[in-house]
DNA sequence: ACCGAATGGTCAAAGCATTGATTACTTGAG
DNA sequence: CTCAAGTAATCAATGCTTTGACCATTCGGT
């Protein structure tokens, strides 16, 4: 009506909303860091699209969740480890891993055993069935990853990865709240 | 044991695992698209760190969830809309929005009313309390966003956003499974 | 050697995600 | 006009995530 940066129009979509929001928020609150907002909004939207696609095209059809896949994935690549380590590597909380292991163990994909050196710890590892499952599952997963990555040139992929790493190596990352 | 690209070493962390995983998966399965794997792994890890930080430093202390914030956010910027539109703009499923609205309405932040033109639809909008809440909450949110973005130069930020947009405009995105 | 502090894992409560079914209401073809 | 098909919202069931509490075990300073 008065001074909308752009009328809502009914034309807004998941993506065009980013531009609209950056302009409108700047108009509502002059102190907004608009470019930071655009960056985080875009980052989050792209990632949730990729994750949703991978989860629904590669994981759910096989009866797994993305977090379950992550646990199997780290066990597949790094071998037997403490539950604590699996949580750290997969980016989940210890409680989530503990809950997840109940399902994975019930399905016969993962084996738990008591740690020998440290009586508190639980060592987890893939069963043969788990190894077969992750091998098949990862192929489907990687095929979709490949399709996403193919839309960028090799240089662009390298640049994107470098910028993302810079983001996580920065000071904000150092101050950030982390799991645990 | 035999030909590990790098021994697990106990030195693996959330981040160093990316390099390790790319090398190891390539050794296990020759057909792997390693660069695609690195891209998706990095993208997901950065995003989950940012989201976790924003959620735990800006939202949870105020008693909200990140998804609740997203709904208030789109209502704040685009005004009253159908629940269906709020789902589309916030990137949630209609069922999730419906569930979320129960909480937001109970807390007096959002008002529901029946659509006039379409008797099936529900129109949702911010209450004055909701407007006050999102204004305060967004400031805290944007302050953290700003801290993250400050680790990149303006050029780097522009490049990063451009590459992310290219990713979502690509053909993989077009083929991707989407919500609804 | 001991006892307090720290650590690893699990559980409980609460919240949000998903898919699939159900209930309204609207639309459009015949 | 009518009835089938489509659409909006909600509900139900299930699963994952979070925090915070708790237990068992280990570590470390005195």
């Amino acid at each position: 009506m008065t001074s909308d940066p752009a009328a809502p129009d009914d034309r807004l979509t998941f993506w065009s909303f980013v531009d609209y929001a950056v302009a409108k928020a700047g108009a509502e609150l002059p102190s907004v860091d608009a470019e930071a907002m655009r960056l985080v909004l875009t980052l989050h939207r792209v990632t949730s699209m990729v994750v949703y696609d991978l989860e629904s095209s590669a994981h759910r059809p096989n009866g797994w969740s993305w977090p379950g896949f992550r646990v199997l994935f780290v066990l597949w690549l790094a071998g037997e480890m403490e539950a604590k380590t699996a949580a750290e590597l997969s980016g989940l909380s210890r409680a989530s891993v503990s809950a997840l292991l109940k399902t994975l163990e019930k399905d016969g994909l993962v084996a738990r055993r008591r740690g020998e050196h440290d009586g508190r710890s639980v060592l987890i590892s893939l069963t043969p069935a788990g190894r077969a499952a992750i091998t098949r599952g990862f192929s489907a997963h990687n095929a979709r990853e490949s399709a996403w990555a193919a839309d960028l040139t090799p240089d662009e992929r390298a640049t994107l990865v470098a910028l993302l790493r810079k983001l996580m190596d920065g000071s904000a990352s150092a101050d950030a709240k982390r799991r645990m």
Side-chain angles (χ1 to χ4, degrees), chain A:
Chain A
M1 299 287 101
T2 57
S3 61
D4 291 358
D9 258 295
D10 292 52
R11 295 173 180 286
L12 288 175
T13 66
F14 184 63
W15 283 109
S16 70
F17 183 70
V18 174
D19 291 323
Y20 174 73
V22 169
K24 189 75 190 283
E28 294 269 337
L29 254 62
S31 61
V32 161
D33 182 339
E35 288 317 307
M37 189 183 160
R38 181 190 304 280
L39 177 62
V40 172
L41 223 33
T42 306
L43 181 64
H44 181 244
R45 281 176 187 231
V46 172
T47 303
S48 48
M49 253 188 109
V50 172
V51 168
Y52 188 85
D53 175 49
L54 264 63
E55 182 152 30
S56 53
S57 65
H59 300 309
R60 270 204 288 273
N62 285 62
W64 317 337
S65 64
W66 171 278
F69 171 80
R70 269 148 67 198
V71 170
L72 295 177
F73 182 68
V74 301
L75 291 175
W76 176 48
L77 295 177
E80 183 174 62
M81 64 182 70
E82 297 186 0
K84 148 96 182 210
T85 308
E88 152 77 8
L89 295 184
S90 62
L92 300 163
S93 69
R94 275 174 300 149
S96 294
V97 170
S98 178
L100 229 21
L101 284 176
K102 275 196 286 199
T103 310
L104 295 173
E105 196 175 27
K106 174 171 58 63
D107 294 345
L109 303 177
V110 165
R112 262 182 172 113
R113 68 186 181 91
R114 211 73 215 178
E116 289 130 19
H117 304 316
D118 186 333
R120 292 166 303 180
S121 71
V122 167
L123 295 173
I124 57 181
S125 56
L126 289 185
T127 62
R131 174 168 298 274
I134 185 65
T135 307
R136 265 188 300 101
F138 177 73
S139 294
H141 176 93
N142 188 242
R144 280 306 295 160
E145 283 180 328
S146 195
W148 281 96
D151 288 320
L152 298 183
T153 67
D155 273 0
E156 287 172 334
R157 279 199 290 276
T159 303
L160 179 50
V161 168
L163 289 173
L164 291 170
R165 293 199 86 117
K166 183 165 183 190
L167 207 48
M168 79 191 208
D169 289 336
S171 58
S173 171
D175 297 342
K177 296 251 195 284
R178 295 155 188 289
R179 267 172 253 270
M180 306 294 78

